[in-house]
Amino acid sequence: MEDVSPSAGDQKYDPLTVHHLEIGPLSADEAERYGFGGLRWAFQSRRHGAVLSDSPDYDHALSACGAYMGAGPDRLTAAFDALVDLMRAELADRITADLTALLEDQLLCIEDLNGLVGDLHDWTSGRDVGELLKERGISTGRPVEPPADSAPPGPGEVRVVRAPGPVTYEPSEGEVAFAHDWVACALSIDFSARLEALQVGPRSEVAAANQPEIDRLAEQATDEIAHLTDLLPDK
C-alpha cells in the first residue's frame, strides 16, 4: 500500500520530543498554514489505501492467511505503542514545570501585543486552544479532507482503492493574526532553543530508563520478522 499512499504530514512525530508545532507556530508560513486549529494536521499519519472485496474466495484466503500468521505482529505493535505512550508520559512529567515557565513568558509577551491572553492558567492547564480563542472572539478554521474512493466493488470483484490525499486546514483571518503574534513573541524570547534545551536531559533519562524494554521488544521484532519471512513462498 505504500506505493499508492500520499505523503504523511509535514513533520515527523517523535514521541520523545515535544515539537514546537504541538504548542504553536514558529514561522510566518506555519502561522498562515496552520493558525492554531490546524497544528495537529502537521503530524497526520500516512493514509493508506484499502482493498475492497466482494469475492468469497479472496475473503476466505485472507482469513486463512491471518490465522496462519498468528497474532504475533498485532501483539508486538500493541506492545510498542504502549511503550511509546509510557515514555511520552514520563517525559511530560519531567518537563512540565520548565515548559509551563516557558509558556508563561510567551503568553506575557502576547498579552503585551494584543491583550487577548488574560488568565495565563487558561493556556497552561491543557485546555483546547480553539476554545480559548473562541472565548476571546476569534473563530477557528476548518480541516479539509479529500473524499475517499468508497464505491463498492462489483460482484466477485477485488480492487485496490487509492488512499485519499492528506488533510489540509483553512485557518480563519483572526486565527492567523493571533498566530503571527505568537511567532513574533516566540522569536523574541528564543522559544525554539529554550524548548529544546529543557528537554535534552529528561529525554536522555527516559530513554535510559526504558532501554531494557526497548531491547526486549527489538529482539521480539527480529524474531517475528524471521518467522514471517519463513512463511513466504520460495521464489
Side-chain angles (χ1 to χ4, degrees):
M1 289 305 173
E2 293 293 329
D3 292 337
V4 293
S5 299
S7 297
D10 299 320
Q11 304 295 330
K12 181 179 179 181
Y13 179 75
D14 180 349
L16 274 186
T17 296
V18 176
H19 194 285
H20 72 267
L21 277 177
E22 296 178 69
I23 304 170
L26 282 187
S27 70
D29 176 68
E30 290 175 351
E32 295 285 342
R33 294 180 65 186
Y34 304 118
F36 276 89
L39 294 176
R40 72 186 186 94
W41 298 115
F43 300 96
Q44 59 191 296
S45 300
R46 181 178 293 276
R47 307 176 76 197
H48 295 288
V51 176
L52 301 183
S53 167
D54 190 61
S55 166
D57 290 341
Y58 175 86
D59 295 342
H60 176 74
L62 183 64
S63 177
C65 286
Y68 184 52
M69 289 173 59
D74 290 338
R75 284 198 302 266
L76 191 58
T77 298
F80 270 114
D81 289 344
L83 179 60
V84 166
D85 290 344
L86 173 66
M87 293 174 70
R88 178 76 169 182
E90 290 176 355
L91 176 66
D93 286 343
R94 284 170 165 82
I95 68 172
T96 293
D98 289 339
L99 182 57
T100 298
L102 174 58
L103 286 173
E104 288 177 348
D105 286 350
Q106 171 78 356
L107 293 165
L108 287 171
C109 173
I110 296 172
E111 177 69 12
D112 288 341
L113 278 183
N114 58 31
L116 293 173
V117 171
D119 187 351
L120 298 185
H121 181 70
D122 284 348
W123 300 83
T124 59
S125 60
R127 289 190 58 193
D128 180 73
V129 175
E131 292 181 1
L132 292 170
L133 292 176
K134 289 177 182 177
E135 289 175 3
R136 289 151 179 80
I138 301 173
S139 63
T140 53
R142 65 184 187 94
V144 179
E145 185 168 357
D149 179 3
S150 58
E157 180 186 13
V158 178
R159 67 186 181 91
V160 175
V161 175
R162 295 183 65 86
V167 177
T168 56
Y169 185 75
E170 294 180 357
S172 69
E173 289 185 10
E175 185 182 4
V176 170
F178 191 93
H180 278 296
D181 286 345
W182 181 280
V183 171
C185 282
L187 295 175
S188 72
I189 69 167
D190 206 11
F191 188 97
S192 180
R194 291 172 63 183
L195 177 62
E196 174 58 21
L198 67 86
Q199 298 181 72
V200 173
R203 187 185 300 145
S204 298
E205 294 169 3
V206 171
N210 289 277
Q211 193 61 50
E213 181 67 4
I214 294 171
D215 292 340
R216 186 182 71 82
L217 291 178
E219 183 176 354
Q220 286 187 18
T222 300
D223 293 343
E224 193 63 44
I225 291 170
H227 168 66
L228 296 177
T229 302
D230 289 341
L231 297 181
L232 294 174
D234 294 334
K235 295 184 179 178

